[in-house]
Amino acid sequence: MSTSATVDERLLEGGRLRRLLGRPELGAVVGAAAVFVFFTLSAEPFLKASSLSTVLYASSTIGIMAVPVALLMIGGEFDLSAGVMVTSSALISSMFSYQMTANVWVGVGVSLLATLAVGFFNGFMLTRTKLPSFIITLGTFLMLTGLNLGFTKLISGTVSTKAIGDMEGFESARALFASHLTVAGVDLQVTILWWLGLVALATWILLRTRVGNWIFAVGGGADAARAVGVPVNRTKIGLYMAVAFCAWISGQHLLMSYDVVQSGEGVGNEFLYICLCIRDRLGHRLRRRRPHLRHDQQGHRVRAVEPGLVQVLPGRDAAPGDPAERVGPQARGGDEVTALVKLTDVSKFYGNIRALEGVSLEVHAGEITCVLGDNGAGKSTLIKIIAGLHQHDAGSFEIEGEETRLASPREALDRGIATVYQDLAVVPLMPVWRNFFLGSEPTKGVGPFKRLDVATMRETTRAELLRMGIDLRDVDQPIGTLSGGERQCVAIARAVYFGAKVLVLDEPTAALGVKQSGVVLKYVAAARDAGLGVVLITHNPHHAYLVGDRFVLLKRGAMAGSHAKKEIALDELTRQMAGGSELDQLSHELERAPGPDVIGGKPVASGGGDD
């Protein structure tokens, strides 16, 4: 679409300085420059090659661990056991090699397995217990500290390991983990190369791979990420194992550099890693605080309610549905057209609590079925059944004429049912285009060189939003800066793009003002005109009557009415929604018999006398 390449006239043409100040890396660069200038002015030998080599070496020993810790913090967690894990890695290599009188590389391999096991343990306990990472990793820190000291004393009789410098394989291991390189006459440690390589790899993963998108999403909103199919638990476990892997590298460097290891080394270093990561991440604040491309002040804050679309799950490169398979507007002739979704006498019970009983509805292509009801009417339970979160206990559930019992949201998504939940958030600090494809990221390349197709993601997002009539200023802006209505519209456009047949919207206008509600309803109607079957959950009969074709009323988990639009007027729909006869009874009870006004038990004469 040609319009996708058109520059929006509302975008201000920023100069180079403006773009530079918007870079998230600026904070870290300014901090590093300030440190460099300080030491240059205060210490004359600082600029000598040997001094710079020493500084780079010290930085690399911390930086190797700071890289995975930064990824972990971006993913929303941190690791208090990172420092002591370095020492554990070195102790295992040394003691295993010495005690078994084996090649040093055997001890190195055993150390790798043991350290990765500790990382897996941290991640597994975090995801299984749901306890804060502070509690989990503090326990690991204390456990490893005790084990390091106890086993070292038990095996060597002292708090340090035996020397392994004369054992077979030591020199080759030292060459990999603790050798020196001469570059332009300057002696450099090999750890500097490890550090730079890990930084490059982490940058590649974050900015250009599907896993990087998952890391951003897990840290920005784990519930939203889980809803769109991101493997949240596996991502977090993988991050903790990445920390363990780098702890293994640092531990081997420690051992190969000094030949022996003290059991108490490394304790407290985790705070250096965390502080370094926090300093670097402060640069991102500059980007978050800069003015956003909005004309109204509502766009400058992230709302508490941030609807997010449950999207197609990962597992293969995403692609839009085949145009031949997309649902288009269909002529309807009563029962002759098979409903996309049909529920007949569906019931759901939680123990002895009746959440739903005897509910029936049909969703047809090119129609909007509105489900109305007060709080506690059973609307959320109905959504969860349609979306596959819960299974119905009685009745029948048909998808395109085939009776089914959805086992999970994955199955619902595979069958073309997409849901926008009121209580699930998008990832507010991620750009619109990353949220649009989250969980369904298209990639290019093969094998280890497979990477996000960023250009296609940006262009497709822009084009699809324009196709739905959504004139978004900038797809690179964080989605949290959009208004609630715009976020709803992005979700609708995404459902259309990925070939959803049924779109379920949970109270899409509940947290919106009049103007934004109108915008959302316009795009709900656009989704219907695109051929989707729409289920609109709402407690606002006026909104429902503007766009709805069928109306299903729920009351305390049971059907209170089912009407086509031509069968019921707005006033009657409002009356039934508000309670019907119960509302009449309440009105009657609130009526006051004519008589004098009473204040404080004494009659008060009405006006009419002279002042």
Side-chain angles (χ1 to χ4, degrees):
M1 181 179 292
S2 59
T3 56
S4 64
T6 302
V7 177
D8 198 310
E9 69 277 3
R10 290 166 295 181
L11 290 174
L12 299 178
E13 182 65 30
R16 291 184 178 180
L17 179 61
R18 183 184 181 91
R19 293 195 297 270
L20 176 63
L21 292 176
R23 295 293 301 176
E25 303 88 353
L26 182 63
V29 173
V30 170
V35 171
F36 183 84
V37 171
F38 174 79
F39 282 105
T40 299
L41 297 177
S42 61
E44 184 177 346
F46 180 71
L47 291 180
K48 293 183 178 180
S50 58
S51 298
L52 289 176
S53 174
T54 302
V55 170
L56 285 175
Y57 170 59
S59 300
S60 67
T61 56
I62 299 175
I64 287 174
M65 286 300 298
V67 170
V69 170
L71 293 181
L72 185 64
M73 293 181 67
I74 292 172
E77 309 294 345
F78 66 97
D79 191 348
L80 287 177
S81 65
V84 70
M85 203 186 307
V86 172
T87 307
S88 298
S89 170
L91 290 172
I92 293 172
S93 289
S94 177
M95 290 189 289
F96 190 89
S97 299
Y98 185 84
Q99 290 300 117
M100 302 300 294
T101 62
N103 190 297
V104 168
W105 281 105
V106 176
V108 170
V110 172
S111 173
L112 174 61
L113 295 177
T115 311
L116 290 177
V118 173
F120 178 84
F121 173 81
N122 281 339
F124 178 79
M125 292 300 294
L126 176 76
T127 56
R128 179 58 63 92
T129 64
K130 309 300 181 185
L131 291 173
S133 55
F134 172 83
I135 300 297
I136 298 295
T137 57
L138 177 61
T140 305
F141 165 82
L142 297 174
M143 177 182 68
L144 291 179
T145 301
L147 290 175
N148 287 349
L149 178 59
F151 275 100
T152 305
K153 288 277 290 182
L154 178 66
I155 294 175
S156 67
T158 65
V159 294
S160 64
T161 62
K162 302 294 184 180
I164 62 170
D166 57 351
M167 297 189 66
E168 183 182 357
F170 180 83
E171 291 301 326
S172 58
R174 170 177 278 183
L176 179 62
F177 295 107
S179 61
H180 296 255
L181 302 173
T182 301
V183 179
V186 180
D187 187 47
L188 299 176
Q189 284 272 5
V190 73
T191 51
I192 298 174
L193 297 182
W194 277 105
W195 178 34
L196 295 177
L198 288 170
V199 169
L201 179 62
T203 303
W204 167 269
I205 290 174
L206 275 179
L207 301 182
R208 287 294 180 264
T209 70
R210 176 178 290 175
V211 173
N213 213 36
W214 295 350
I215 294 173
F216 281 126
V218 167
D223 290 336
R226 184 176 289 106
V228 301
V230 172
V232 173
N233 290 350
R234 281 187 291 159
T235 301
K236 291 192 175 185
I237 291 174
L239 288 173
Y240 275 103
M241 293 183 72
V243 173
F245 176 75
C246 290
W248 170 74
I249 294 175
S250 296
Q252 303 317 297
H253 168 71
L254 179 65
L255 174 62
M256 305 307 165
S257 296
Y258 301 105
D259 196 13
V260 295
V261 181
Q262 298 285 335
S263 62
E265 289 189 50
V267 176
N269 284 353
E270 53 275 346
F271 296 106
L272 293 178
Y273 312 146
I274 294 172
C275 290
L276 181 60
C277 297
I278 291 174
R279 187 206 70 182
D280 290 341
R281 291 192 70 190
L282 287 177
H284 291 266
R285 299 292 183 184
L286 294 174
R287 188 170 186 176
R288 294 175 189 174
R289 291 176 181 172
R290 66 177 179 171
H292 295 296
L293 305 173
R294 302 281 301 137
H295 294 284
D296 59 309
Q297 293 300 316
Q298 291 181 344
H300 288 272
R301 63 179 184 270
V302 180
R303 296 176 181 263
V305 179
E306 300 160 338
L309 181 64
V310 175
Q311 303 166 358
V312 178
L313 299 172
R316 59 182 181 276
D317 290 353
D322 191 316
E325 297 177 356
R326 294 193 183 188
V327 179
Q330 301 179 17
R332 295 178 297 278
D335 294 334
E336 295 181 1
V337 177
T338 302
L340 295 175
V341 168
K342 182 178 180 181
L343 279 69
T344 306
D345 294 329
V346 165
S347 300
K348 179 66 181 177
F349 303 96
Y350 299 100
N352 61 350
I353 298 175
R354 182 193 68 181
L356 280 182
E357 186 172 16
V359 174
S360 301
L361 67 80
E362 293 185 6
V363 181
H364 290 269
E367 280 191 355
I368 298 176
T369 300
C370 298
V371 179
L372 299 98
D374 206 347
N375 293 334
K379 304 188 300 295
S380 296
T381 302
L382 181 62
I383 288 177
K384 291 174 181 177
I385 291 175
I386 296 175
L389 283 170
H390 294 323
Q391 292 185 337
H392 56 287
D393 295 323
S396 66
F397 180 10
E398 298 179 9
I399 298 179
E400 295 184 293
E402 178 184 348
E403 186 166 352
T404 186
R405 180 179 293 271
L406 296 176
S408 67
R410 295 174 182 269
E411 188 176 349
L413 292 167
D414 290 340
R415 301 293 294 271
I417 300 175
T419 306
V420 178
Y421 291 104
Q422 183 185 8
D423 58 350
L424 284 182
V426 293
V427 184
L429 294 178
M430 287 177 62
V432 175
W433 61 270
R434 283 185 178 269
N435 272 281
F436 191 89
F437 283 96
L438 182 58
S440 305
E441 298 88 350
T443 59
K444 60 183 179 180
V446 294
F449 301 102
K450 182 174 287 189
R451 59 199 182 278
L452 292 178
D453 192 351
V454 176
T456 297
M457 293 169 72
R458 284 197 176 102
E459 293 170 5
T460 301
T461 301
R462 176 78 172 170
E464 288 299 314
L465 294 180
L466 283 175
R467 194 169 73 87
M468 285 291 294
I470 304 171
D471 188 13
L472 196 62
R473 267 75 67 190
D474 183 11
V475 296
D476 281 302
Q477 69 184 106
I479 200 169
T481 63
L482 303 183
S483 67
E486 287 174 318
R487 290 196 296 273
Q488 290 277 4
C489 298
V490 170
I492 294 170
R494 190 198 185 285
V496 174
Y497 173 73
F498 282 104
K501 298 178 181 179
V502 177
L503 177 64
V504 184
L505 301 171
D506 180 16
E507 302 277 8
T509 61
L512 307 182
V514 175
K515 182 177 179 181
Q516 287 294 330
S517 295
V519 172
V520 171
L521 293 176
K522 182 176 72 173
Y523 294 126
V524 171
R528 173 195 60 196
D529 296 339
L532 277 72
V534 181
V535 180
L536 176 63
I537 311 295
T538 182
H539 63 267
N540 190 319
H542 295 82
H543 290 170
Y545 204 79
L546 284 174
V547 296
D549 299 294
R550 301 168 184 258
F551 306 100
V552 174
L553 292 96
L554 298 181
K555 178 182 176 183
R556 302 183 68 178
M559 293 276 293
S562 179
H563 312 280
K565 187 171 186 177
K566 62 183 179 181
E567 299 172 351
I568 190 170
L570 174 59
D571 291 342
E572 179 61 22
L573 181 66
T574 304
R575 179 177 175 277
Q576 292 189 21
M577 164 72 184
S581 59
E582 293 181 0
L583 182 63
D584 293 339
Q585 181 180 354
L586 178 62
S587 299
H588 178 72
E589 292 175 356
L590 294 177
E591 288 180 359
R592 300 172 59 182
D597 293 331
V598 177
I599 298 179
K602 298 180 180 181
V604 178
S606 59
D610 296 336
D611 293 334

